[in-house]
Coordinates of all heavy atoms in Angstrom, one line a residue:
A1 N 177.6 156.0 89.5 CA 178.1 154.9 88.7 C 176.9 154.4 87.9 O 177.1 154.0 86.6 CB 178.7 153.8 89.6
E2 N 175.8 154.1 88.5 CA 174.7 153.7 87.9 C 174.3 154.6 86.7 O 173.9 154.1 85.6 CB 173.4 153.5 88.9 CG 173.6 152.3 89.7 CD 172.4 152.1 90.6 OE1 171.6 153.0 90.7 OE2 172.1 150.8 91.1
A3 N 174.3 155.8 86.9 CA 173.9 156.8 85.8 C 174.9 156.7 84.7 O 174.5 157.0 83.5 CB 173.9 158.2 86.4
L4 N 176.1 156.3 84.9 CA 177.1 156.2 83.9 C 177.2 154.7 83.3 O 178.0 154.4 82.4 CB 178.5 156.5 84.4 CG 178.8 157.9 84.8 CD1 180.1 158.0 85.7 CD2 179.0 158.7 83.5
G5 N 176.2 153.8 83.7 CA 176.2 152.5 83.2 C 177.2 151.6 83.7 O 177.6 150.6 83.1
I6 N 177.8 151.9 84.8 CA 178.8 151.2 85.5 C 178.3 150.1 86.5 O 177.6 150.6 87.3 CB 179.9 152.1 86.1 CG1 180.6 152.9 85.1 CG2 181.0 151.2 86.7 CD1 181.3 154.0 85.5
A7 N 178.7 148.9 86.4 CA 178.3 148.0 87.4 C 178.8 148.4 88.8 O 179.9 148.8 89.1 CB 178.9 146.6 87.1
V8 N 177.9 148.2 89.8 CA 178.1 148.6 91.1 C 178.2 147.4 92.2 O 177.5 146.6 92.0 CB 177.2 149.6 91.7 CG1 177.4 150.0 93.2 CG2 177.0 150.9 90.9
R9 N 179.3 147.4 92.9 CA 179.5 146.4 93.9 C 179.4 147.0 95.3 O 180.3 148.0 95.5 CB 180.7 145.5 93.8 CG 180.8 144.8 92.3 CD 181.9 143.9 92.2 NE 181.8 143.2 90.9 CZ 182.9 142.4 90.5 NH1 183.8 142.0 91.3 NH2 182.8 141.8 89.3
T10 N 178.7 146.4 96.3 CA 178.7 147.1 97.6 C 179.0 146.0 98.7 O 178.1 145.9 99.5 CB 177.4 147.7 97.9 OG1 176.3 146.7 97.7 CG2 177.1 148.9 96.9
P11 N 180.2 145.3 98.8 CA 180.4 144.5 99.8 C 180.6 145.1 101.1 O 181.2 146.1 101.2 CB 181.8 143.8 99.3 CG 182.4 144.8 98.4 CD 181.3 145.5 97.7
A12 N 180.1 144.5 102.2 CA 180.3 145.0 103.4 C 181.8 144.8 104.0 O 182.3 145.6 104.9 CB 179.4 144.4 104.5
S13 N 182.4 144.0 103.3 CA 184.0 143.7 103.7 C 184.6 143.2 102.5 O 184.0 142.5 101.7 CB 184.0 142.8 104.9 OG 185.3 142.3 105.2
L14 N 185.9 143.3 102.4 CA 186.7 142.8 101.4 C 187.7 141.7 101.9 O 188.7 141.3 101.2 CB 187.6 143.8 100.6 CG 186.7 144.9 99.8 CD1 187.5 146.0 99.4 CD2 186.1 144.2 98.7
K15 N 187.4 141.2 103.1 CA 188.3 140.2 103.8 C 188.1 138.9 103.3 O 189.1 138.1 103.5 CB 188.2 140.4 105.3 CG 188.6 141.7 105.9 CD 188.3 141.7 107.4 CE 188.8 143.1 108.0 NZ 188.6 143.1 109.5
G16 N 187.0 138.5 102.8 CA 186.8 137.2 102.4 C 187.3 136.8 101.1 O 187.5 137.6 100.2
A17 N 187.7 135.5 101.0 CA 188.3 135.1 99.7 C 187.5 135.1 98.5 O 188.1 135.5 97.4 CB 188.8 133.6 99.9
E18 N 186.2 135.0 98.7 CA 185.2 135.1 97.6 C 185.2 136.5 96.9 O 185.3 136.7 95.7 CB 183.8 134.7 97.9 CG 182.8 134.7 96.9 CD 181.5 134.1 97.3 OE1 181.4 133.6 98.4 OE2 180.5 134.4 96.5
E19 N 185.2 137.6 97.8 CA 185.2 138.9 97.3 C 186.5 139.2 96.7 O 186.6 139.9 95.7 CB 184.9 139.9 98.4 CG 183.4 140.0 98.9 CD 182.5 140.5 97.8 OE1 183.1 141.2 96.9 OE2 181.4 140.4 97.9
Q20 N 187.6 138.7 97.2 CA 189.0 139.1 96.7 C 189.1 138.3 95.3 O 189.6 138.9 94.3 CB 190.0 138.5 97.6 CG 190.1 139.4 99.0 CD 191.0 138.8 100.1 OE1 191.8 137.9 99.8 NE2 190.9 139.3 101.2
A21 N 188.5 137.2 95.2 CA 188.7 136.5 94.0 C 187.9 137.2 92.8 O 188.3 137.3 91.7 CB 188.1 135.0 94.1
A22 N 186.7 137.7 93.3 CA 185.8 138.4 92.3 C 186.4 139.7 91.8 O 186.3 140.0 90.7 CB 184.4 138.7 93.0
M23 N 187.2 140.4 92.7 CA 187.9 141.6 92.2 C 189.1 141.2 91.3 O 189.2 141.8 90.2 CB 188.4 142.3 93.5 CG 189.1 143.6 93.1 SD 189.4 144.6 94.6 CE 190.4 146.0 93.7
A24 N 189.8 140.1 91.7 CA 190.9 139.8 90.9 C 190.4 139.3 89.5 O 191.1 139.5 88.4 CB 191.6 138.6 91.5
A25 N 189.3 138.7 89.4 CA 188.7 138.3 88.1 C 188.4 139.4 87.1 O 188.3 139.1 85.9 CB 187.5 137.4 88.3
L26 N 188.3 140.6 87.6 CA 188.1 141.7 86.7 C 189.3 142.0 85.9 O 189.1 142.8 84.9 CB 187.7 143.0 87.5 CG 186.4 142.9 88.3 CD1 186.2 144.2 89.2 CD2 185.2 143.0 87.2
D27 N 190.4 141.6 86.2 CA 191.6 141.8 85.4 C 192.0 143.2 85.1 O 192.1 143.6 84.0 CB 191.5 140.8 84.1 CG 192.8 140.8 83.3 OD1 193.8 140.7 84.0 OD2 192.7 140.7 82.1
A28 N 192.0 143.9 86.1 CA 192.2 145.5 86.1 C 193.7 145.8 86.0 O 194.5 145.2 86.5 CB 191.6 146.2 87.3
D29 N 193.9 147.0 85.3 CA 195.3 147.5 85.2 C 195.6 148.1 86.5 O 196.7 148.2 87.0 CB 195.5 148.5 84.0 CG 195.3 147.9 82.7 OD1 195.9 146.8 82.5 OD2 194.6 148.3 81.9
V30 N 194.6 148.8 87.2 CA 194.8 149.7 88.3 C 193.5 149.9 89.0 O 192.3 149.8 88.4 CB 195.4 151.1 88.0 CG1 194.5 151.9 87.2 CG2 196.0 151.8 89.2
A31 N 193.5 150.0 90.3 CA 192.3 150.5 91.1 C 192.5 151.9 91.6 O 193.7 152.3 91.9 CB 192.1 149.6 92.2
V32 N 191.5 152.7 91.4 CA 191.6 154.1 91.9 C 190.6 154.2 93.0 O 189.5 153.9 93.0 CB 191.1 155.1 90.7 CG1 191.0 156.5 91.3 CG2 192.1 155.1 89.6
V33 N 191.2 154.7 94.2 CA 190.4 154.7 95.4 C 190.2 156.1 95.8 O 191.2 157.0 95.8 CB 191.2 154.0 96.5 CG1 190.3 154.0 97.7 CG2 191.4 152.5 96.0
A34 N 189.0 156.6 96.2 CA 188.8 158.0 96.7 C 187.8 157.9 97.8 O 186.6 157.7 97.6 CB 188.3 158.8 95.5
A35 N 188.2 158.1 99.1 CA 187.3 158.0 100.2 C 186.3 156.8 100.2 O 185.1 157.0 100.4 CB 186.5 159.4 100.2
Y36 N 186.9 155.6 100.0 CA 186.1 154.5 99.9 C 185.5 154.1 101.3 O 184.3 153.8 101.4 CB 186.9 153.2 99.3 CG 186.3 151.9 99.3 CD1 184.9 151.8 98.9 CD2 186.9 150.8 99.6 CE1 184.2 150.6 98.8 CE2 186.3 149.6 99.5 CZ 185.0 149.5 99.0 OH 184.3 148.3 98.9
G37 N 186.3 154.1 102.3 CA 185.8 153.9 103.7 C 186.0 152.5 104.2 O 185.7 152.1 105.3
L38 N 186.7 151.4 103.3 CA 187.0 150.2 103.9 C 188.5 150.0 103.8 O 189.2 150.6 102.9 CB 186.2 149.1 103.1 CG 184.8 149.0 103.3 CD1 184.3 147.8 102.3 CD2 184.4 148.7 104.7
I39 N 189.0 149.2 104.8 CA 190.5 148.9 104.7 C 190.6 147.9 103.6 O 189.8 147.0 103.4 CB 190.8 148.1 106.0 CG1 190.7 149.2 107.2 CG2 192.3 147.7 105.9 CD1 191.5 150.5 107.0
L40 N 191.7 148.0 102.8 CA 191.9 147.1 101.7 C 192.9 146.2 102.1 O 194.2 146.5 102.4 CB 192.4 148.0 100.5 CG 191.5 149.0 99.9 CD1 192.1 149.5 98.5 CD2 190.1 148.5 99.8
P41 N 192.7 144.8 102.1 CA 193.6 143.7 102.5 C 194.7 143.7 101.3 O 194.5 144.2 100.3 CB 192.8 142.5 102.6 CG 191.4 143.0 102.6 CD 191.3 144.3 101.9
Q42 N 195.9 143.0 101.7 CA 196.9 143.0 100.8 C 196.6 142.4 99.4 O 196.9 142.8 98.5 CB 198.1 142.1 101.5 CG 199.3 142.4 100.6 CD 199.9 143.7 100.5 OE1 200.0 144.5 101.6 NE2 200.2 144.2 99.4
A43 N 195.7 141.2 99.5 CA 195.2 140.6 98.4 C 194.5 141.6 97.4 O 194.7 141.4 96.1 CB 194.3 139.4 98.6
V44 N 193.7 142.5 97.9 CA 193.0 143.5 97.1 C 194.0 144.6 96.6 O 194.0 144.9 95.3 CB 191.9 144.3 97.9 CG1 191.4 145.4 97.2 CG2 190.8 143.2 98.2
L45 N 195.0 145.0 97.4 CA 196.0 145.9 96.9 C 196.8 145.4 95.8 O 197.2 146.1 94.9 CB 197.0 146.2 98.0 CG 196.4 147.1 99.3 CD1 197.3 147.2 100.4 CD2 195.9 148.4 98.8

């Protein structure tokens, strides 16, 4: 991602309201997940 000039985020968990709000603020059409390794809470889904 860094080589492609894409911002990287490495949270240890996505359970916190702050991380969930930060993801929602990206205003994405879709998230693509491939062997991420963390459980995605409903708010993230």
Side-chain angles (χ1 to χ4, degrees):
E2 286 188 335
L4 291 166
I6 298 169
V8 179
R9 299 182 178 183
T10 58
S13 170
L14 294 170
K15 295 179 180 179
E18 185 176 344
E19 284 293 346
Q20 293 173 9
M23 183 173 177
L26 291 170
D27 191 31
D29 295 314
V30 68
V32 173
V33 183
Y36 178 40
L38 288 182
I39 299 296
L40 304 190
Q42 191 64 48
V44 171
L45 295 173

